[in-house]
Amino acid sequence: MSDTLRAIAEERVNAKVKFYRNLTSYVIVNAFLAVINYIFTPDFWWVAFPVFFWGIGVFVDFIKAFVVHGKFDSESYRERKIEEEMEKLRN
């Protein structure tokens, strides 16, 4: 039981670490791109495109790390769904 809890805890921590790394990279790189954009092409703010699309990825990592918590990856979820499908087939 404790091995299972440890594995779940490790997965959650890994998801949170991935989110924080991605967020840090997102902020640093996009700030750098914004400065480059401001210096060289202030008339067209192309930096909005990487900010928006990379932001979608950061948001997905946030959802995975703090909202969903691997609810659909657990073995109990899989077994429960298999039982539900078998019950449907029986009827």
Side-chain angles (χ1 to χ4, degrees), residues 79 81-91:
E79 288 301 319
K81 289 300 176 184
I82 290 172
E83 288 297 324
E84 287 176 10
E85 288 298 323
M86 289 173 56
E87 190 61 36
K88 286 179 188 177
L89 292 171
R90 288 184 190 120
N91 293 331

Side-chain angles (χ1 to χ4, degrees), residues 2-65:
S2 66
D3 291 338
T4 305
L5 288 176
R6 180 168 179 83
I8 293 169
E10 285 178 357
E11 287 177 19
R12 287 184 179 188
V13 168
N14 289 339
K16 290 176 182 178
V17 168
K18 179 183 176 186
F19 166 72
Y20 286 125
R21 284 183 180 164
N22 195 2
L23 181 63
T24 302
S25 299
Y26 174 81
V27 170
I28 292 170
V29 170
N30 285 313
F32 181 71
L33 289 176
V35 169
I36 290 174
N37 192 166
Y38 178 74
I39 292 170
F40 292 105
T41 55
D43 297 335
F44 177 66
W45 282 91
W46 51 262
V47 73
F49 298 107
V51 166
F52 177 74
F53 290 110
W54 192 352
I56 293 171
V58 171
F59 179 71
V60 168
D61 281 347
F62 172 80
I63 296 297
K64 287 180 182 178

